[in-house]
């Protein structure tokens, strides 16, 4: 027995001697033997995909070739950590990971206290992680498809408002506009992670922008959460090139989640684009979501309160908030207690809503105080009621689509087949479940058409199409707008009067047209539908017009209805171009959803070109399939 103990002590002594004598080269060789530089975990720490890292900041790499050589970066990391200094505290997760992979590495590290890192960890105090989706916001190009960020939840905290949020975004230093769009699309801005209190995010998204928030609590363990937090420190002030379409806020968060749980393969599924809702779907499909919470925007809450009241009481509340009435001008008895409370409550919240972005006025403060006193007076009749949770965004149809059309062209008197591919992501006819109401947002859309005589051409190419047609009401006085740019072919055949004058009978032909257009106006609810009227502006290059490059002004009007059981629209557009060219376009569309990602669609278009060319109609029957 004593002999065995002596042997054991001798063995431990030898091991201790090895640890004490271990040189950086020993650990580098051990790492090479274990092929750590090729491991998925190390490549995720370096944000490697393909042949190089996504990180575009030399400060993140310790080897001169670290961006493209993970083995060199691993060797440099081992040597630098063992040498101590700033690197020791700059890369706590690399240090932690290497200690897990290399026996004796932790004991060989110098003793060093990282005070700033420890203070930051205590500040974040993360126990679990929630992935938050802010709904689409068309008024900001960088948030048109929504925005995602992480929330670090504290242990035993009674409120989410105490949590910290971490997001990735472009570091914008110019004034925006077209330069902002160009730099955002082509990587002209650096992107960085930043943190802020979660209650500030709620104020920004839910109260000011009126965007719903969806909170997806991840099922990361405390150890996995700790890995994520440690790695996030390593990315402090580190630059990545920012691209709106692919290397954006949502893509970078997937990489963080992969570092926390290396067995997940999330980011590699987004080689072309990373739409926020698609990244949520991938995380959910990987079974990394433990719970989901809906946080309606201020506008949704206000809409819900409006719907609880009869029209006369809605008007009373509106007049109180607009200060056409004072509360003391009204009288309620005990039998009207609930009604009194709801009128005062709606007026109070509407007053706050309409002054969200305004400086505080004493007059408004006085009215708010009156309404709060009224609510307190009738508080016994308060009824807590929250907006119903809609279909979750990740349950909506997928973002890309393929559509096959069978159609008939009146001028050609021929049937045709048309194939449409769309990169993203939702139009007014698509199944609205899971998507914001009254919007259309399509980026990258192409249509190929072939007639029964085998003639194939590019019929349409939409670079961008955006419509925001939210209806105005007594309480919400928003504007509607549209924008579209791209290429299309229209068919032209001289009218009968033109043929008679020239004594010729030419065949109809298609003409390519490049265009950019915008429209601005209003949408109102009408008999259960939404009706809009917008003023148009359009620039197009069209060889069939008297002036090939022409500016046109006009008006468009239409109605639409969106429903889970089917959507339809009807609209007409009039353009008056310079040099007297005129055009009227009409369109009808109906979409019947057959499943989450499939639908049957019927469309008809009508074109009327003043007296020069014949008017014509196209009719189409289509099958639409959404996919990721």
């Amino acid at each position: 027995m004593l002999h065995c103990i002596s042997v054991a002590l001798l063995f431990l002594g030898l091991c201790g001697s090895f640890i004490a004598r271990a040189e950086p080269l020993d650990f580098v060789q051990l790492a090479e033997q274990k092929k750590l530089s090729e491991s998925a975990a190390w490549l995720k720490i370096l944000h490697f995909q393909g042949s190089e890292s996504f990180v575009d900041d030399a400060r993140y790499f310790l080897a001169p070739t670290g961006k493209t050589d993970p083995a060199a970066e691993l060797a440099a990391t081992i040597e630098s950590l063992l040498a101590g200094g700033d690197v020791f505290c700059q890369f706590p997760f690399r240090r932690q990971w290497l200690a897990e992979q290399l026996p004796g590495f932790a004991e060989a590290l110098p003793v060093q206290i990282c005070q700033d890192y420890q203070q930051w960890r205590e500040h974040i105090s993360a126990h679990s992680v929630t992935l938050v989706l802010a709904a689409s916001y068309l008024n900001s190009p960088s948030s048109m498809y929504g925005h995602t960020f992480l929330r670090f939840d504290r242990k035993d905290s009674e409120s989410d408002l105490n949590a910290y949020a971490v997001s990735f975004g472009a570091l914008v230093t110019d004034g925006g506009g077209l330069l902002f769009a160009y730099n955002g699309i082509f990587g002209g801005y650096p992107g960085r992670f930043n943190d802020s209190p979660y209650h500030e995010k709620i104020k920004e998204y839910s109260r000011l922008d009126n965007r719903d928030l969806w909170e997806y609590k991840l099922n990361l363990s405390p150890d996995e959460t700790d890995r994520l937090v440690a790695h996030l420190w390593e990315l402090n002030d580190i630059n990545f090139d920012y691209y709106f379409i692919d290397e954006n806020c949502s893509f970078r968060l997937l990489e963080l989640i992969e570092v926390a749980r290396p067995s997940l393969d999330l980011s590699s599924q987004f080689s072309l684009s990373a739409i926020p809702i698609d990244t949520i779907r991938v995380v959910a499909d990987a079974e990394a979501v433990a719970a989901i919470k809906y946080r309606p925007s201020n506008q949704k809450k206000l809409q819900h309160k409006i719907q609880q009241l009869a029209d006369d009481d809605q008007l009373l509340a509106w007049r109180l908030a607009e200060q056409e009435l004072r509360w003391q001008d009204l009288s309620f008895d005990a039998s009207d207690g609930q009604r009194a409370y709801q009128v005062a409550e709606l007026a109070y919240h509407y007053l706050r809503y309409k002054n969200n972005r305004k400086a505080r006025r004493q007059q408004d403060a006085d009215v708010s105080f009156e309404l709060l006193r009224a609510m307190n007076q009738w508080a016994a009749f308060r009824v807590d009621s929250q907006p119903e949770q809609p279909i979750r965004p990740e349950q909506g149809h997928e973002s890309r689509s393929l559509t096959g059309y069978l159609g008939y062209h009146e001028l050609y008197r021929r049937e045709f087949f048309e194939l449409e591919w769309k990169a993203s992501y939702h139009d007014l006819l698509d199944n609205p479940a899971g998507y914001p109401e009254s919007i259309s947002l399509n980026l990258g859309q192409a249509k190929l058409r072939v007639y029964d005589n085998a003639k194939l051409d590019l019929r349409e190419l939409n670079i961008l199409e955006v419509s925001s047609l939210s209806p105005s009401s007594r309480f919400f006085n928003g504007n509607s707008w549209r924008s579209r740019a791209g290429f299309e072919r229209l068919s032209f055949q001289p009218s009968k009067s033109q043929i008679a004058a020239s004594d010729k009978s030419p065949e109809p032909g298609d003409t390519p047209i490049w265009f950019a257009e915008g429209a601005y106006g209003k949408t109102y609810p009408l008999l259960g539908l939404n009706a809009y009227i917008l003023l148009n502006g359009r620039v197009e290059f069209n060889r069939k017009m008297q002036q090939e490059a022409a500016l046109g002004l006009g008006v468009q009007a239409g109605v639409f209805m969106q429903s889970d059981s089917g959507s339809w629209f009807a609209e007409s557009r009039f353009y008056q171009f310079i040099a007297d060219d005129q055009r009227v376009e009409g369109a009808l569309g109906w979409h019947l959803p057959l499943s989450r990602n499939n639908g049957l669609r019927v469309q008809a278009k009508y074109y009327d070109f003043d007296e020069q060319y014949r008017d014509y109609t196209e009719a189409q029957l289509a099958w639409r399939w959404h996919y990721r």
Side-chain angles (χ1 to χ4, degrees):
M1 183 66 181
L2 287 173
H3 175 72
C4 293
I5 293 174
S6 299
V7 171
L9 289 173
L10 176 62
F11 176 75
L12 291 173
L14 289 173
C15 289
S17 298
F18 170 78
I19 293 168
R21 294 196 306 270
E23 297 293 334
L25 185 59
D26 300 328
F27 291 110
V28 171
Q29 290 174 345
L30 184 56
E32 289 175 353
Q33 291 169 10
K34 300 182 75 169
K35 297 184 176 179
L36 291 185
S37 65
E38 301 173 18
S39 68
W42 178 245
L43 296 178
K44 291 178 191 299
I45 291 171
L46 295 185
H47 297 258
F48 235 77
Q49 201 168 91
S51 58
E52 65 176 23
S53 169
F54 281 124
V55 180
D56 300 292
D57 193 324
R59 294 173 297 167
Y60 190 68
F61 302 103
L62 299 174
T65 58
K67 183 175 173 64
T68 56
D69 188 345
E73 182 64 17
L74 181 62
T77 299
I78 292 172
E79 293 167 358
S80 299
L81 288 174
L82 290 172
D86 292 343
V87 169
F88 187 90
C89 295
Q90 183 183 353
F91 295 105
F93 182 59
R94 292 193 194 189
R95 176 160 41 90
Q96 175 183 334
W97 182 76
L98 284 170
E100 294 169 359
Q101 308 302 318
L102 300 174
F105 186 76
E107 292 80 359
L109 288 169
V111 176
Q112 196 166 331
I113 297 174
C114 301
Q115 191 170 358
D116 290 344
Y117 172 58
Q118 290 303 329
Q119 287 178 347
W120 179 76
R121 284 184 62 91
E122 291 169 8
H123 181 63
I124 296 288
S125 190
H127 180 71
S128 59
V129 183
T130 297
L131 178 59
V132 183
L133 170 69
S136 172
Y137 184 57
L138 294 190
N139 290 328
S140 170
S142 61
S143 293
M144 293 170 76
Y145 288 93
H147 176 64
T148 56
F149 57 94
L150 294 178
R151 188 185 73 203
F152 291 93
D153 301 310
R154 298 167 186 263
K155 187 178 183 181
D156 301 328
S157 175
E158 295 181 355
S159 172
D160 298 336
L161 302 181
N162 298 324
Y164 254 76
V166 170
S167 61
F168 178 81
L171 199 63
V172 180
T173 54
D174 50 46
L178 290 177
L179 184 61
F180 174 73
Y182 177 85
N183 284 333
I185 292 172
F186 296 105
Y189 294 123
R192 289 184 187 173
F193 288 96
N194 58 78
D195 61 74
S196 58
Y198 186 52
H199 63 82
E200 289 186 4
K201 291 289 184 185
I202 292 176
K203 179 181 178 183
E204 176 185 356
Y205 294 122
S206 181
R207 296 178 189 168
L208 298 181
D209 293 346
N210 291 304
R211 301 162 68 177
D212 290 345
L213 295 177
W214 292 87
E215 301 166 351
Y216 299 82
K217 187 178 180 66
L218 304 181
N219 57 12
L220 298 180
S221 68
D223 285 344
E224 290 171 331
T225 300
D226 183 71
R227 295 163 65 94
L228 199 160
V229 170
H231 180 59
L232 194 57
W233 173 262
E234 298 177 338
L235 298 174
N236 183 36
D237 285 338
I238 295 297
N239 293 327
F240 295 75
D241 288 345
Y242 187 93
Y243 296 86
F244 284 161
I245 295 176
D246 51 3
E247 296 179 42
N248 53 28
C249 61
S250 298
F251 183 82
R252 291 275 96 87
L253 297 188
L254 294 183
E255 291 183 318
L256 288 185
I257 297 170
E258 287 177 330
V259 169
R261 185 179 292 174
S263 60
L264 293 175
D265 180 18
L266 307 174
S267 60
S268 67
Q269 301 181 44
F270 297 94
S271 56
L272 296 177
S273 64
I275 296 175
I277 185 54
D278 287 340
T279 65
I280 295 285
R281 291 188 179 111
V282 165
V283 173
D285 290 347
E287 299 182 347
V289 176
I292 301 172
K293 179 180 176 181
Y294 171 57
R295 191 183 292 272
S297 69
N298 263 17
Q299 184 168 324
K300 285 281 176 62
K301 292 178 183 175
L302 193 60
Q303 283 175 332
H304 179 71
K305 294 184 191 303
I306 294 169
Q307 291 165 358
Q308 307 307 305
L309 288 174
D311 189 66
D312 288 346
D313 291 335
Q314 292 178 20
L315 179 59
L316 276 183
W318 182 83
R319 294 184 67 190
L320 285 166
E322 294 292 338
Q323 298 167 30
E324 293 182 2
L325 280 178
R326 301 299 291 264
W327 183 258
Q328 52 266 35
D329 298 331
L330 306 177
S331 63
F332 296 92
D333 57 34
S335 63
D336 284 336
Q338 182 175 335
R339 179 171 157 253
Y341 181 85
Q342 289 181 307
V343 168
E345 182 189 37
L346 175 57
Y348 172 75
H349 286 284
Y350 175 56
L351 183 58
R352 287 176 58 90
Y353 169 85
K354 66 196 289 282
N355 292 328
N356 252 346
R357 295 181 181 273
K358 298 178 181 175
R360 184 178 183 272
R361 296 190 313 165
Q362 187 58 45
Q363 186 177 349
D364 294 329
D366 293 342
V367 173
S368 292
F369 184 66
E370 279 181 16
L371 294 171
L372 281 174
R373 281 199 311 184
M375 291 167 64
N376 186 57
Q377 177 186 352
W378 299 100
F381 297 91
R382 172 178 177 172
V383 176
D384 284 325
S385 176
Q386 294 296 320
E388 184 179 351
Q389 177 177 306
I391 300 293
R392 300 198 305 266
E394 81 278 10
Q395 293 177 318
H397 65 72
E398 301 283 1
S399 300
R400 297 192 177 98
S401 67
L402 275 177
T403 308
Y405 296 86
L406 287 176
Y408 179 78
H409 193 295
E410 183 184 10
L411 279 188
Y412 287 111
R413 298 184 180 181
R414 288 182 180 280
E415 293 81 18
F416 62 83
F417 174 74
E418 198 168 80
L419 183 65
E420 174 193 304
W421 175 78
K422 191 164 64 174
S424 69
Y425 92 132
H426 181 75
D427 66 26
L428 284 177
L429 286 183
D430 283 329
N431 188 347
Y435 284 81
E437 298 174 355
S438 308
I439 74 158
S440 175
L441 174 57
N442 300 287
L443 180 66
Q445 179 184 22
K447 288 183 178 179
L448 289 173
R449 177 179 293 188
V450 60
Y451 287 91
D452 58 3
N453 61 354
K455 179 187 176 186
L456 175 68
D457 59 34
L458 175 63
R459 193 68 185 180
E460 196 172 317
L461 179 66
N462 277 319
I463 300 169
L464 174 68
E465 184 278 321
V466 187
S467 296
S468 176
L469 301 174
S470 296
S472 294
S473 68
R474 179 186 293 140
F475 291 91
F476 306 114
N477 189 27
N479 295 313
S480 296
W481 56 274
R482 282 183 148 173
S483 181
R484 190 165 75 107
F487 164 91
E488 63 185 359
R489 288 182 192 275
L490 297 184
S491 303
F492 293 88
Q493 183 180 31
S495 62
K496 289 182 179 179
S497 60
Q498 296 294 313
I499 294 172
S502 64
D503 197 25
K504 294 180 180 178
S505 180
E507 293 294 319
D510 293 344
T511 294
I513 298 172
W514 289 95
F515 67 91
E517 64 182 18
Y520 196 79
K522 286 284 188 182
T523 301
Y524 294 99
L526 177 67
L527 303 175
L529 309 174
N530 292 312
Y532 57 88
I533 182 164
L534 313 175
L535 296 179
N536 286 328
R538 177 178 170 108
V539 177
E540 74 175 43
F541 182 82
N542 179 353
R543 288 177 299 166
K544 290 295 183 181
M545 292 203 298
Q546 298 179 51
Q547 188 167 333
E548 291 187 358
L551 169 66
L553 300 175
V555 63
Q556 61 179 271
V559 294
F560 69 94
M561 187 192 75
Q562 294 178 298
S563 160
D564 295 348
S565 58
S567 301
W568 66 270
F569 79 93
E571 73 169 19
S572 181
R573 303 183 183 200
F574 169 75
Y575 298 99
Q576 173 65 57
F577 292 94
I578 57 176
D580 284 341
D581 290 293
Q582 292 182 348
R583 186 159 78 234
V584 174
E585 298 178 5
L588 293 169
W590 173 72
H591 181 95
L592 176 65
L594 301 176
S595 65
R596 175 190 169 205
N597 287 317
N598 290 278
L600 190 64
R601 182 170 289 207
V602 177
Q603 292 184 178
K605 297 178 182 177
Y606 171 75
Y607 299 91
D608 184 342
F609 306 91
D610 54 39
E611 295 181 352
Q612 275 193 299
Y613 301 102
R614 289 185 57 188
D615 55 352
Y616 69 91
T617 302
E618 292 181 357
Q620 299 171 320
L621 174 65
W623 186 286
R624 171 158 291 193
W625 172 55
H626 291 275
Y627 70 101
R628 191 183 307 164

